[in-house]
Amino acid sequence: VTYVGRAVTPVDGLTAIAPRLRETFLRHRYDADGVLDLLGPDVHAALGRGEPVPVRRACRDVGELGTLVRLLLVHDTVDRAAVDGALGSLDVDEAIGAGLLADDGDGVRAAVDVRPLDAGHGTRWMVSDLDGSMRPVDIAPDHVLGVGHASLSLLRATVPAHGSVLDVGTGCGVQAVHALESADHVTATDITDRSLAMTRATMVLNAIGDDRVDLVRGPWFAPVEGRRFDRLVANPPFVVGPPTVTHSYRDSGLDLDGASEVMVSGAADHLVDGGIACMLASWVITGDDWRDRVASWVPDHGVDAWVVQRDVADPALYVGTWLRDAGYDPRTGRGAALADEWLDHLDRSGVHGIGFGFVFLRTTGSPTDLLAEELSHALDDPLGDEALAYLHRVAWLRDHDVLAARLAAAPDVALDRVWTPSVSPGTEPWVEVATRLVRTGGPRWSHDVDDRVAALVAGLRHDGLPVADVVELLGAARGEEIDPASVGDVIAGLVRHGVLVPA
Ligand SMILES: C[S@@+](CC[C@H](N)C(=O)[O-])C[C@H]1O[C@@H](n2cnc3c(N)ncnc32)[C@H](O)[C@@H]1O
């Protein structure tokens, strides 16, 4: 595959003006809080929905911050003199030459998107291509993706990094910038010069020194051959389709889910012992069990792997969504033709669904432990915390015999009993149909259990007896013999999901 970029405007000059742009942003409070204060929550929400008019109205006569918001967030054509005033020491012509702005007849407009983002650590400014949310744009083949839902979901799912981080397919640098909250150094790769130029500008805008970042061009792991990192993070071009590239931000040039396969199968070779990879991935579903495919990519030895399927789309929904994402109209012309080719390809490949989610891997040197499971409900808590806790729990399970351990229910666990009305005359009016141990926090895992296990969990204490002894006492109390080994797997499953916690 040849990746041929067709940049709309050159952006190499952005890095040179980034320090002065940063000063301007700081002076006029063009940061996440400043913009929210200016617009208020309702108009800010309208901005998020791609509705420029309420934002424009809120920016009337409010000085430099309003000008910056109209220019950089609404993507309006703005009067040159007003922009000159707002840019401070940066001259408008210099900003045009650097690729920040473009001449637009009566005024100037943004040539790229520069926006503040607060993902929980204060403002970071991100440079990316204009996405068409505010005014129509062509999505170029080397379009640099801004911070979207997928980027944010990966940010929330990433285990905090220490030491060195590898960010494969850095795009605008959103994962790399945030990894540097806790990591010492990031190596960020991409196949397009435009992405690397924007990430470089993003780094300078956020006052991140050159000594903390390496930006390297090249596909997959080629730029880091033979190197290992403490963390790996990747939101790769995972879109499932024919082996062609129309847009580098989403197409890998590999057939179907080849991009995810390359990342999942190769990640462990680029992690130090105990290193963790957090990746977005997708997988085609061709057989009865979606887990088979992704499981086949995980090395047989040496990793703990947690695969979390967040969503499944049927081919029609999938193709329509991704065509619209790249600005095609799936109803007519080129859009309709592409939809036909794409659906044909999925059909020929026997794909009846496309799964999407996260893959977490930790290198261990032990036989691989793999769990692939669905988590399709909305999540409030960041998945990154849970992923780290999950990997710790798996490591604990490898080293301990649950029957000999002292365990207790986690503080967020509730026992949920489900009753339905009885249909048999002369019986109790309600019949219990399910008993569940539910974690009310984190991913809210729920395990159906029988009465025996519910009673056993109630009897476990950190300062009490080991599990096997409590099982014996429970058997005596119920007048039945319970073989501790018969509950071992259930107990291990509860530990794995954090329902039971070791002392
Ligand atoms: C979905 S975007 C992710 C951007 C960013 N990391 C984020 O989280 O929003 C995928 C990125 O991977 C890059 N890319 C495409 N093919 C690649 C390859 N073979 N190796 C490395 N990066 C690639 C694209 O240029 C694009 O910037």
Side-chain angles (χ1 to χ4, degrees):
V1 177
T2 317
Y3 301 97
V4 183
R6 184 171 53 82
V8 183
T9 50
V11 287
D12 290 341
L14 286 176
T15 301
I17 63 164
R20 279 176 291 157
L21 208 50
R22 177 181 168 84
E23 271 174 32
T24 296
F25 291 170
L26 290 171
R27 185 171 333 115
H28 299 311
R29 286 198 66 217
Y30 181 68
D31 55 36
D33 288 342
V35 172
L36 181 59
D37 288 349
L38 172 74
L39 301 181
D42 294 348
V43 175
H44 195 265
L47 177 69
R49 293 194 300 269
E51 292 163 15
V53 176
V55 188
R56 231 171 249 149
R57 292 163 61 89
C59 289
R60 271 187 210 143
D61 307 322
V62 291
E64 288 87 354
L65 180 56
T67 303
L68 289 173
V69 169
R70 283 195 53 212
L71 187 68
L72 299 174
L73 295 179
V74 183
H75 304 151
D76 271 348
T77 299
V78 182
D79 174 63
R80 219 171 214 274
V83 175
D84 230 351
L87 286 184
S89 61
L90 188 61
D91 175 73
V92 168
D93 286 323
E94 202 183 347
I96 292 173
L100 174 70
L101 304 179
D103 215 330
D104 196 22
D106 291 346
V108 289
R109 60 179 176 77
V112 294
D113 187 294
V114 187
R115 66 181 55 226
L117 168 73
D118 184 351
H121 303 280
T123 289
R124 300 289 176 272
W125 290 280
M126 308 303 313
V127 184
S128 63
D129 270 319
L130 302 174
D131 65 359
S133 60
M134 285 295 175
R135 64 194 280 166
V137 291
D138 283 339
I139 306 289
D142 61 348
H143 175 83
V144 177
L145 196 65
V147 178
H149 290 303
S151 329
L152 290 173
S153 74
L154 181 59
L155 271 187
R156 286 173 62 77
T158 297
V159 172
H162 299 286
S164 60
V165 177
L166 170 63
D167 175 17
V168 177
T170 195
C172 65
V174 55
Q175 310 298 333
V177 164
H178 287 88
L180 286 168
E181 280 313 310
S182 53
D184 300 326
H185 190 273
V186 169
T187 300
T189 72
D190 209 289
I191 54 156
T192 75
D193 289 331
R194 192 169 176 81
S195 287
L196 296 178
M198 286 190 171
T199 299
R200 200 168 290 121
T202 291
M203 293 294 167
V204 177
L205 259 184
N206 292 290
I208 294 168
D210 276 355
D211 54 328
R212 299 186 68 203
V213 188
D214 278 339
L215 298 174
V216 224
R217 185 179 165 166
W220 312 120
F221 297 111
V224 293
E225 190 78 54
R227 292 178 59 195
R228 289 181 182 268
F229 299 83
D230 296 299
R231 289 280 186 280
L232 189 161
V233 61
N235 173 8
F238 54 69
V239 171
V240 164
T244 48
V245 178
T246 62
H247 295 91
S248 54
Y249 74 87
R250 60 170 211 187
D251 306 320
S252 66
L254 300 175
D255 195 21
L256 299 174
D257 47 15
S260 300
E261 179 175 0
V262 169
M263 291 306 302
V264 173
S265 59
D269 294 337
H270 299 280
L271 290 171
V272 300
D273 194 18
I276 297 175
C278 309
M279 299 175 282
L280 280 171
S282 47
W283 36 85
V284 294
I285 305 175
T286 51
D288 293 335
D289 193 338
W290 67 269
R291 294 171 296 188
D292 295 344
R293 178 113 176 156
V294 58
S296 74
W297 302 336
V298 175
D300 292 339
H301 188 88
V303 294
D304 287 342
W306 189 36
V307 180
V308 180
Q309 179 167 276
R310 292 289 285 146
D311 206 0
V312 179
D314 62 78
L317 172 66
Y318 190 81
V319 168
T321 305
W322 282 107
L323 282 173
R324 284 197 187 88
D325 182 78
Y328 292 107
D329 180 347
R331 295 171 302 181
T332 54
R334 177 95 177 112
L338 281 173
D340 219 10
E341 284 167 31
W342 200 338
L343 286 168
D344 258 353
H345 188 71
L346 295 179
D347 230 10
R348 275 195 305 272
S349 310
V351 174
H352 58 79
I354 297 105
F356 162 83
F358 299 98
V359 177
F360 302 95
L361 297 176
R362 172 146 74 177
T363 48
T364 62
S366 303
T368 287
D369 180 291
L370 167 71
L371 175 65
E373 58 187 338
E374 284 175 54
L375 176 54
S376 47
H377 52 261
L379 269 186
D380 297 328
D381 298 343
L383 192 60
D385 296 345
E386 183 65 21
L388 185 59
Y390 174 85
L391 293 168
H392 285 328
R393 297 193 291 257
V394 173
W396 184 90
L397 282 167
R398 185 170 24 254
D399 296 339
H400 295 83
D401 170 5
V402 286
L403 295 177
R406 289 180 169 79
L407 304 173
D412 67 349
V413 168
L415 185 72
D416 189 11
R417 291 189 187 276
V418 182
W419 304 74
T420 55
S422 166
V423 285
S424 320
T427 58
E428 291 294 320
W430 292 92
V431 189
E432 188 179 328
V433 289
T435 305
R436 296 188 180 121
L437 286 166
V438 181
R439 264 185 64 193
T440 55
R444 303 199 303 279
W445 295 120
S446 161
H447 285 238
D448 279 18
V449 292
D450 59 21
D451 257 3
R452 262 179 351 161
V453 174
L456 173 62
V457 168
L460 295 175
R461 299 267 181 283
H462 282 160
D463 58 357
L465 296 169
V467 174
D469 295 350
V470 181
V471 172
E472 225 172 275
L473 289 177
L474 180 68
R478 292 167 67 100
E480 56 181 301
E481 191 142 324
I482 309 176
D483 176 6
S486 70
V487 292
D489 286 348
V490 177
I491 297 297
L494 294 173
V495 171
R496 199 176 264 269
H497 272 162
V499 176
L500 285 176
V501 183

